[in-house]
Amino acid sequence: QVQLVESGGGLVQPGGSLTLSCTSSGNIFSIDHMGWYRQAPGKPREQRELVATITSDGSTNYADAVKGRFTISRDYASVSVYLHMSDLKPEDTAVYYCYADAPLLPIVDYWGQGTQVTVSS
């Protein structure tokens, strides 16, 4: 099993920056991909959208809406993942969820509890 805990959310003005952190515990060395998803206000879980992912070899992938503004990074020693967000827009307002997969474990997909990011003046 893997547990994920996010931190760093909050209220920020448009154009501002924020960095989210996600720490893992449990069977952390089974983790392969890590990433961030977000769920906008009023949207169901099924419409949770990908923000950015990073593989075990450091390859990254970003949603078009955040390219050039968000940067994902990973600490391989502690198996943590970070999301630095800049030039934030009101449409970035959402609950941000940390994600990890562990293909060799009986349960493959893991999610954190989410952290709220609100972009408003």
Side-chain angles (χ1 to χ4, degrees):
Q1 295 275 20
V2 172
Q3 295 79 41
L4 303 171
V5 178
E6 304 98 334
S7 61
L11 173 65
V12 62
Q13 293 187 340
S17 299
L18 208 57
T19 298
L20 305 182
S21 301
C22 174
T23 57
S24 63
S25 61
N27 207 333
I28 62 174
F29 295 109
S30 295
I31 291 174
D32 187 4
H33 293 70
M34 299 189 79
W36 294 92
Y37 286 71
R38 67 186 181 187
Q39 187 171 339
K43 294 287 185 69
R45 179 189 172 108
E46 295 73 29
Q47 294 184 29
R48 191 176 292 183
E49 61 179 11
L50 179 146
V51 177
T53 59
I54 185 166
T55 66
S56 55
D57 65 1
S59 298
T60 58
N61 180 49
Y62 294 93
D64 288 343
V66 308
K67 281 180 182 175
R69 300 189 298 121
F70 291 12
T71 302
I72 190 170
S73 60
R74 183 167 172 170
D75 183 318
Y76 290 90
S78 63
V79 196
S80 300
V81 66
Y82 308 93
L83 185 69
H84 179 67
M85 306 181 291
S86 61
D87 189 21
L88 282 160
K89 306 175 187 299
E91 52 265 40
D92 295 317
T93 295
V95 177
Y96 284 71
Y97 294 90
C98 179
Y99 166 81
D101 71 12
L104 299 181
L105 295 181
I107 297 174
V108 175
D109 299 314
Y110 296 90
W111 296 90
Q113 81 287 354
T115 186
Q116 176 71 48
V117 172
T118 302
V119 184
S120 175
S121 55

